[in-house]
């Protein structure tokens, strides 16, 4: 499939239609992952101050929710301008 596209459009097909979306997808995924992993310990830190390690109680449900919401917010803050640029240049 890629070889047919290169034959029809030339080598400029790769940086324009393959590498740019891969780079944008990497940037969005990187933002999502790093935000989630940075917020999760902080959210558990606030929640775990009420719990001791030796207790058998389950940890609260909301720290992963808070971390996921923050990561989704950061992802949309990065992805929306990138998507807008993509639509404008196509």
């Amino acid at each position: 499939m890629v070889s047919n596209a290169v034959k029809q459009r030339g080598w400029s097909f790769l940086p324009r239609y393959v590498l740019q979306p891969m780079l944008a997808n990497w940037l969005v995924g990187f933002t999502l992952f790093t935000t989630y992993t940075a917020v999760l310990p902080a959210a558990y830190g606030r929640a775990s101050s009420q719990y001791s390690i030796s207790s058998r109680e389950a940890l609260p449900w909301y720290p992963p929710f808070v971390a996921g919401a923050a990561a989704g917010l950061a992802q949309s803050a990065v992805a929306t301008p990138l998507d807008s640029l993509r639509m404008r240049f196509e």
Side-chain angles (χ1 to χ4, degrees):
M1 180 148 93
V2 173
S3 63
N4 288 337
V6 170
K7 286 177 187 176
Q8 290 177 356
R9 297 182 183 233
W11 284 103
S12 65
F13 168 81
L14 289 175
R16 184 171 184 164
Y17 294 104
V18 176
L19 293 180
Q20 286 179 358
M22 284 178 65
L23 181 61
N25 192 19
W26 175 84
L27 181 63
V28 169
F30 180 77
T31 302
L32 183 69
F33 177 76
T34 55
T35 304
Y36 184 83
T37 56
V39 171
L40 189 61
Y44 269 123
R46 289 181 181 256
S48 65
S49 64
Q50 304 164 358
Y51 300 93
S52 66
I53 293 176
S54 62
S55 75
R56 302 252 180 206
E57 294 180 50
L59 286 173
W61 59 270
Y62 62 88
F65 178 79
V66 169
L73 180 67
Q75 178 191 16
S76 59
V78 170
T80 302
L82 289 175
D83 192 42
S84 178
L85 287 172
R86 182 184 62 87
M87 294 302 287
R88 180 170 290 176
F89 290 127
E90 281 186 0

